Amino acid sequence: MPAVARTTRARWIAAGLDALAAGGPDAVRVETLAAALGVTKGGFYGHFDGRAAFLEEMLDEWEQRSTTEVIAQADAEGGDAADRIRRVGSLTFSEDLHRIDLAIRAWANHDPSVSARLRRIDNKRMAFLREMFGAYIADPDEIEARSMLMFALAIGRHFIVADHPGYTKLEAIQLAGEHLLRP
């Protein structure tokens, strides 16, 4: 019988983030994740010092993927400020990451440490938007307003169920985003 490959730390974290997105922090259970991965829970403890440490590493991974890496990628790829905002938005709020983002926002309503982390990350995201809008807008009030509206559009678009006569939901979102990116 061939040896079973050890489940990597990354697979545990990916499974944890999927469980979080699907059911919130209460759905992130070692036994449940082990069953989903088709392994025993013993391997979990080879990577993590318990559930609390695991949850922290999941948050670290989410922050890295949804904020740090996407801003670095936009910086590396260059382009004007509007292009960089588009790129960061499309990467940060892809369906895969956005569902995790929404779950973390819900979790933050009940956990002060998650709330503090979310505030720090949202501040990074808003600083990026302010910097980008500031590259072509001089009025600080307009920079703040556009940054806030762009961020609200990115976060809140999934909560809006209104019809958009003559437009698909995606077209209406893109139209709003392009309006905010105008010089």
Side-chain angles (χ1 to χ4, degrees):
M1 180 172 190
V4 175
R6 187 172 172 194
T7 303
T8 65
R9 173 184 223 88
R11 281 192 66 215
W12 280 104
I13 291 172
L17 289 170
D18 284 344
L20 176 69
D26 291 339
V28 181
R29 296 281 176 224
V30 177
E31 297 82 10
T32 306
L33 296 176
L37 291 168
V39 298
T40 65
K41 64 181 184 173
F44 173 90
Y45 295 102
H47 293 296
F48 308 101
D49 291 330
R51 184 173 180 269
F54 178 63
L55 292 173
E56 281 296 314
E57 289 201 39
M58 286 172 40
L59 290 169
D60 291 345
E61 176 69 15
W62 165 72
E63 178 178 0
Q64 183 68 25
R65 285 177 46 205
S66 71
T67 304
T68 307
E69 287 177 4
V70 297
I71 290 173
Q73 183 175 338
D75 288 344
E77 292 176 7
D80 67 18
D83 286 338
R84 291 173 66 199
I85 290 172
R86 283 184 199 97
R87 193 171 307 113
V88 165
S90 70
L91 294 170
T92 300
F93 297 106
S94 65
E95 289 306 312
D96 179 46
L97 290 176
H98 196 253
R99 64 190 185 87
I100 298 167
D101 196 273
L102 294 176
I104 290 170
R105 287 177 187 288
W107 183 12
N109 287 326
H110 308 287
D111 187 315
S113 67
V114 175
S115 179
R117 182 186 284 245
L118 180 60
R119 176 181 301 273
R120 183 175 49 77
I121 293 165
D122 279 356
N123 283 334
K124 283 183 187 180
R125 292 170 172 178
M126 284 293 292
F128 171 81
L129 288 169
R130 289 180 189 111
E131 179 184 348
M132 293 300 101
F133 281 119
Y136 64 96
I137 298 169
D139 179 10
D141 291 343
E142 188 168 346
I143 292 168
E144 189 63 22
R146 287 192 194 204
S147 298
M148 183 61 174
L149 289 168
M150 185 62 79
F151 197 50
L153 177 64
I155 298 296
R157 71 183 195 269
H158 285 286
F159 297 107
I160 298 170
V161 295
D163 294 324
H164 306 281
Y167 303 95
T168 66
K169 183 175 182 176
L170 180 59
E171 289 169 338
I173 291 166
Q174 289 172 335
L175 184 65
E178 288 305 314
H179 181 78
L180 291 171
L181 292 172
R182 290 179 184 165

